[in-house]
Amino acid sequence: MRHPRLESCYQVVQHSSDFRHFHWPPKSPEMNIIEDIRDALLHAVEKRSPPRIPMDLLTALQDSWCEFPPEYL
């Protein structure tokens, strides 16, 4: 007897021909909204002075987030 999780995985693999596979481009704008915001936030924080302690980093992230225009988010 297989573990229940393994059994369900086995059944999915066994019947995988029943599924249609969709291939999305890796940088599809519809799928990577969070990555775009993360990148913009990263660049905004990098423009500031380097944080010395974790609280400085948190403050820089919060301040940069608040500076984003509402339509960007």
Side-chain angles (χ1 to χ4, degrees), residues 1-31:
M1 177 88 183
R2 292 183 200 149
H3 189 277
R5 275 193 191 159
L6 291 176
E7 185 63 33
S8 62
C9 289
Y10 176 74
Q11 289 176 0
V12 168
V13 169
Q14 187 178 19
H15 300 288
S16 65
S17 63
D18 298 340
F19 296 103
R20 290 178 50 195
H21 299 279
F22 296 99
H23 297 284
W24 292 94
K27 288 291 186 179
S28 173
E30 297 85 21
M31 300 299 290

Side-chain angles (χ1 to χ4, degrees), residues 34 36-45 47-48 60-73:
I34 299 299
D36 293 340
I37 293 172
R38 181 189 57 86
D39 287 343
L41 190 58
L42 176 67
H43 291 300
V45 170
K47 291 179 183 177
R48 298 173 177 269
L61 286 168
Q62 289 173 335
D63 291 346
S64 297
W65 180 263
C66 290
E67 292 171 2
F68 281 156
E71 59 272 1
Y72 188 81
L73 306 173

